[in-house]
Amino acid sequence: MIKLRDKYFESYIRAEKIKQTIDQMAKIVYKECADEIPLFVGILNGSFMFAADFIRAYPGQCEVSFVKLSSYQGVQSKGKVKQLVGLTEDVTNRTVIILEDIIDTGTTLEEIYTIFRNKKLKQLKIATLLYKHDVYKKGLHIDYIGLHVPDKFVVGYGLDYVGLGRNLNDIYTLTIPTMTNIVLFGPPGAGKGTQAELLKDKYTLKHISTGDVFRYNIKNETELGKLAKSYMDKGDLVPDEVTINMLKQEVERNADAKGFIFDGFPRTEEQAIALDNFLTEKGATINGMVALEVPEDLLVERLLKRGETSGRPDDQDEDKIRNRFNEYQNKTAILKDYYAKQGKYYGINGVGTIEEITERLTKVFDKL
Ligand code: AMP
């Protein structure tokens, strides 16, 4: 995938395929014009690559010229009229073959026909590399067509988007970028929630904290809340099946998100596998696991301090906190390996001021 100005494009027709197509076209044209010297006329700017390659592939003698169709405000006539700039050759009695990069609505083609109509040519032929059959509205004859393309925006190989991309060897089409999904990882109290809130705006990602979703459900006394409460209050993990379903629902509720920061999920290998499968179905993936590394003593201190104001039962006493660490050590910590094996693990020093840690995270997020 490539980015031109504000948009993303993916390769659609490879350079090799373009070359094959042009070689074939050149041979066909040669067969039909072998007994004379045709004048190939490339329409600038878009056709410069096609014309150059076509002419090189043309096995016989030929002449080449380039013209530009430019709009000017007619003095007598109303509205815009196109004129041809650059044609200096005498074309009387010649076979002129127009080389176009793309024909879509046919407006340019119509203008070309109009301009050449009174030039007393022997014959006028049209060769285009690309032809958008779904949008072509004119009945005018096109003699040689390289490739049929659907009604998609195309760029590259001479074609541009806001002036850019003409130098690309392949032809690309507009695409919606795939999602960016990041697992923000670390033991309880590592600062995942605080950092996710700061980073989600900077990267326009949706922050999903499974702990927050559970607490919301407990507060609103939903079925899910009632189920989760007994586990959470003790500092145990909520069963995988429940958590995975909830996570999927949260993602589906935000179907238009550019991507997600997963905070507190996955916490078991089963959850990590479920998340991978779920994202794959959506044509997406986890771009990276970014882990905040903080020594346990400091974490206990942070959690007890948070417990003074958070109102969270699981932050209130040291036994519950220790149990959460046990859960983390037994079930969650192994996920470091799970993502490291995929080359997706990024460890960050989680000790410092909030700003310092945000800065460290930003450096990694920028790469993902
Ligand atoms: P947190 O707010 O991330 O510290 O989560 C608080 C509690 O919610 C945990 O101790 C678990 O009881 C429960 N919880 C949150 N996320 C998960 C998860 N992915 N799997 C199982 N339980 C979870």
Side-chain angles (χ1 to χ4, degrees):
M1 194 160 54
I2 55 152
K3 191 176 183 190
L4 295 173
R5 184 78 73 81
D6 57 329
K7 295 206 169 13
Y8 292 87
F9 299 86
E10 63 188 352
S11 180
Y12 175 57
I13 307 169
R14 300 266 174 210
E16 218 170 287
K17 171 88 181 160
I18 299 172
K19 187 179 180 316
Q20 279 170 8
T21 305
I22 294 174
D23 287 352
Q24 225 176 347
M25 283 177 89
K27 278 190 200 128
I28 295 169
V29 174
Y30 176 64
K31 253 191 194 163
E32 294 184 10
C33 317
D35 54 343
E36 59 185 310
I37 295 176
L39 171 64
F40 290 114
V41 177
I43 309 293
L44 293 174
N45 291 334
S47 78
F48 74 97
M49 282 239 198
F50 169 52
D53 285 344
F54 180 94
I55 290 153
R56 267 182 293 194
Y58 189 74
Q61 292 191 30
C62 63
E63 285 179 37
V64 185
S65 185
F66 284 92
V67 299
K68 207 168 184 158
L69 282 173
S70 80
S71 307
Y72 73 102
Q73 201 67 42
V75 184
Q76 272 112 12
S77 62
K78 283 188 218 124
K80 284 195 171 147
V81 180
K82 295 272 180 159
Q83 67 171 354
L84 203 58
V85 183
L87 190 72
T88 48
E89 289 79 359
D90 179 10
V91 291
T92 317
N93 263 328
R94 302 283 312 263
T95 289
V96 171
I97 301 174
I98 300 292
L99 299 178
E100 261 286 37
D101 47 334
I102 186 163
I103 292 179
D104 44 31
T105 60
T107 311
T108 307
L109 185 62
E110 193 172 40
E111 276 150 7
I112 289 166
Y113 266 105
T114 310
I115 288 162
F116 280 95
R117 189 164 292 144
N118 41 25
K119 288 204 190 286
K120 302 195 177 70
L121 306 181
K122 179 177 170 201
Q123 56 178 341
L124 178 69
K125 292 193 169 202
I126 310 289
T128 183
L129 175 62
L130 304 176
Y131 172 58
K132 279 193 184 172
H133 48 91
D134 289 340
V135 252
Y136 186 61
K137 291 199 220 98
K138 317 283 180 192
L140 299 165
H141 184 64
I142 303 168
D143 300 86
Y144 310 103
I145 292 172
L147 296 160
H148 287 246
V149 287
D151 185 16
K152 284 183 174 187
F153 189 84
V154 280
V155 67
Y157 197 74
L159 295 139
D160 75 309
Y161 166 62
V162 290
L164 302 173
R166 293 193 198 273
N167 54 334
L168 297 164
N169 287 320
D170 289 0
I171 291 171
Y172 290 73
T173 52
L174 195 61
T175 184
I176 309 296
T178 48
M179 290 195 275
T180 303
N181 297 304
I182 296 168
V183 173
L184 195 54
F185 192 66
K192 302 186 294 288
T194 308
Q195 294 296 338
E197 279 302 303
L198 296 167
L199 293 164
K200 69 167 196 195
D201 294 330
K202 184 164 165 41
Y203 295 95
T204 44
L205 298 172
K206 173 79 190 156
H207 171 207
I208 298 182
S209 154
T210 40
D212 283 350
V213 180
F214 281 134
R215 281 185 287 277
Y216 177 84
N217 279 276
I218 292 172
K219 199 170 137 213
N220 291 287
E221 296 178 349
T222 66
E223 283 308 308
L224 177 66
K226 283 178 206 156
L227 183 71
K229 188 170 168 35
S230 56
Y231 298 98
M232 283 180 72
D233 282 354
K234 284 186 274 173
D236 289 342
L237 290 188
V238 177
D240 280 337
E241 202 194 326
V242 178
T243 313
I244 291 167
N245 284 337
M246 181 192 85
L247 189 277
K248 286 184 181 174
Q249 269 178 28
E250 283 299 305
V251 171
E252 298 296 3
R253 276 197 326 118
N254 295 284
D256 56 347
K258 232 186 91 204
F260 295 90
I261 299 176
F262 297 108
D263 156 14
F265 190 95
R267 259 178 157 109
T268 64
E269 188 163 1
E270 196 177 328
Q271 292 180 14
I273 294 167
L275 182 60
D276 273 351
N277 293 339
F278 180 54
L279 290 177
T280 305
E281 279 168 26
K282 301 189 160 304
T285 186
I286 290 292
N287 299 61
M289 167 191 261
V290 189
L292 292 167
E293 294 163 345
V294 183
E296 192 169 315
D297 290 349
L298 185 58
L299 292 169
V300 176
E301 197 184 298
R302 280 190 193 172
L303 290 175
L304 285 169
K305 189 143 185 272
R306 185 171 80 183
E308 291 168 13
T309 52
S310 72
R312 282 176 57 168
D314 59 346
D315 279 350
Q316 305 286 331
D317 74 56
E318 208 163 327
D319 281 350
K320 285 178 186 172
I321 290 174
R322 292 280 170 207
N323 187 38
R324 284 160 68 196
F325 286 127
N326 283 341
E327 288 282 75
Y328 180 80
Q329 286 308 336
N330 295 336
K331 298 173 183 168
T332 311
I334 45 146
L335 292 180
K336 176 178 174 175
D337 285 347
Y338 181 90
Y339 288 99
K341 268 189 204 140
Q342 300 180 35
K344 293 180 178 174
Y345 182 85
Y346 302 87
I348 296 286
N349 175 8
V351 184
T353 64
I354 292 178
E355 295 76 28
E356 280 164 358
I357 297 164
T358 310
E359 207 183 309
R360 287 172 208 156
L361 286 167
T362 304
K363 284 201 182 116
V364 179
F365 271 56
D366 280 344
K367 287 193 285 188
L368 299 175

